Amino acid sequence: MWTYLQDLSFWDWLGLGTVLLILEVFGAGGYLLWIGVAAAGVGILTYILPALSWEIQFVSFAVLSVLTALYWWRRQRSVQRKSDQPGLNMRGSELIGQTFVVQESIINGRGKIKVGDGVWMVVGPDAPAGDRVRVTAQDGTILHVVVV
């Protein structure tokens, strides 16, 4: 094992980088991408300076891995933009503040309201079918209502 470590070549690092990038394709979520880039970077460094000891190669790999991950993390944070459609993919959030008719009586704090051609579960004060309620909040697929 020690002899293998002492004889690491740029091909070993490029091979490791390639394997990590291939594994990233299978859905690692970006974690292996930057480690693979760091391994390829050490491979290039080892090609340019073939006399590097294995200790320096591993320290270079660790430092490059951290630097590339930090670079990507900072870049992702700076690129985040406010959406022009903040309620996108949050079905039901557009219902907050609107008034609807109780479909099934709200008994013991639970019932259903009719919204368009669908029915939503609601929690709120007891109310008979036909009463009007206003949606005040959303908790997943359950709407919170108050009697109007």
Side-chain angles (χ1 to χ4, degrees), residues 100-103 126-133 147:
F100 299 99
V101 176
V102 175
Q103 178 77 18
D126 291 352
D131 270 9
R132 297 187 65 73
V133 292
V147 177

Side-chain angles (χ1 to χ4, degrees), residues 41-64:
V42 172
I44 292 169
L45 185 66
T46 306
Y47 179 76
I48 295 169
L49 303 168
L52 283 179
S53 68
W54 68 271
E55 295 95 347
I56 293 176
Q57 291 178 26
F58 276 90
V59 169
S60 300
F61 175 63
V63 169
L64 280 175

Side-chain angles (χ1 to χ4, degrees), residues 52-140:
L52 283 179
S53 68
W54 68 271
E55 295 95 347
I56 293 176
Q57 291 178 26
F58 276 90
V59 169
S60 300
F61 175 63
V63 169
L64 280 175
S65 295
V66 169
L67 287 177
T68 55
L70 284 174
Y71 164 75
W72 184 249
W73 179 73
R74 292 188 83 200
R75 185 174 186 283
Q76 287 296 95
R77 288 183 46 99
S78 69
V79 172
Q80 290 178 352
R81 292 179 284 246
K82 294 285 183 187
S83 173
D84 58 344
Q85 297 177 356
L88 186 64
N89 293 330
M90 294 175 49
R91 186 167 181 249
S93 64
E94 73 277 1
L95 303 176
I96 296 174
Q98 295 186 26
T99 304
F100 299 99
V101 176
V102 175
Q103 178 77 18
E104 291 181 19
S105 299
I106 302 174
I107 301 171
N108 294 327
R110 294 194 154 300
K112 293 182 181 180
I113 61 172
K114 183 157 181 65
V115 178
D117 61 350
V119 177
W120 284 72
M121 293 285 299
V122 296
V123 293
D126 291 352
D131 270 9
R132 297 187 65 73
V133 292
R134 186 176 66 249
V135 178
T136 58
Q138 177 188 10
D139 185 20

